[in-house]
Amino acid sequence: MVRQVRATGVRWEVPGGGQEPGESLEETVERELAEEAGIQVITGSIVCTYISFRLFKHSIVLGAFYLAAESDESTLPVPQQDDGIVEAAFVDPWKLPEDEVGPLSWSVIQRWWPRRESLDSVFHVELWRTPEGYTLR
C-alpha cells in the first residue's frame, strides 16, 4: 500500500491510477505499482470492480482491483514522493486504523481481506463522492 497526500488528508491506499491508451488493465496494474511503489509485479486475477461517482466534479471513474505478486521478493517498496506518496510498504490492512485508509481501499479491504483465500467471485463497489465526504454502496 502507499500512504498518499490527498486534499482530504494523508491516507493509506492501494496503488492505482489511470489506464493509458493501448494498455490492458493488467499492464496498468504493473505500471502503476512500479511508478507509485517502485516494485515490479506479476498481475494475477481480478478481485473487484468499482465505480466512483464524483458528480460535483462532473466525472465518473470505473476501475478494478487485482491481485499482484512482486517479481523479486527482495525488492522493498519505495515511495514516489513526486506523486505525493510519503510511504510505501507491504502492510496488513487490518493493523491500520480505519480512518487512515482511503474510503475506496477500505471498502474493498473489508469485503476481500477476510475471505481472500476463498473468494470465488468478483464483487463490485460503488463510491459516491460529494464535497461533504464519501458514501459507499
Side-chain angles (χ1 to χ4, degrees), residues 4 6 22 58-59 61 69 79 83 86 90 94 113 121:
Q4 191 162 9
R6 299 283 190 184
H58 306 290
S59 71
V61 175
D83 291 333
V86 296
F90 295 110
W94 286 120
W113 192 257
S121 63

Side-chain angles (χ1 to χ4, degrees), residues 29-90:
V29 169
E30 293 165 10
R31 179 181 50 77
E32 287 293 342
L33 280 161
E35 288 178 3
E36 294 191 4
I39 59 172
Q40 302 298 313
V41 298
I42 299 166
T43 305
S45 60
I46 189 169
V47 171
C48 76
T49 59
Y50 71 89
I51 189 163
S52 176
F53 296 96
R54 300 180 219 179
L55 301 181
F56 68 101
K57 289 187 174 184
H58 306 290
S59 71
I60 298 172
V61 175
L62 178 62
F65 281 67
Y66 280 82
L67 291 175
E70 65 270 31
S71 304
D72 179 356
E73 293 183 17
S74 67
T75 303
L76 296 176
V78 177
Q80 304 304 307
Q81 295 181 350
D82 291 348
D83 291 333
I85 297 170
V86 296
E87 191 172 355
F90 295 110

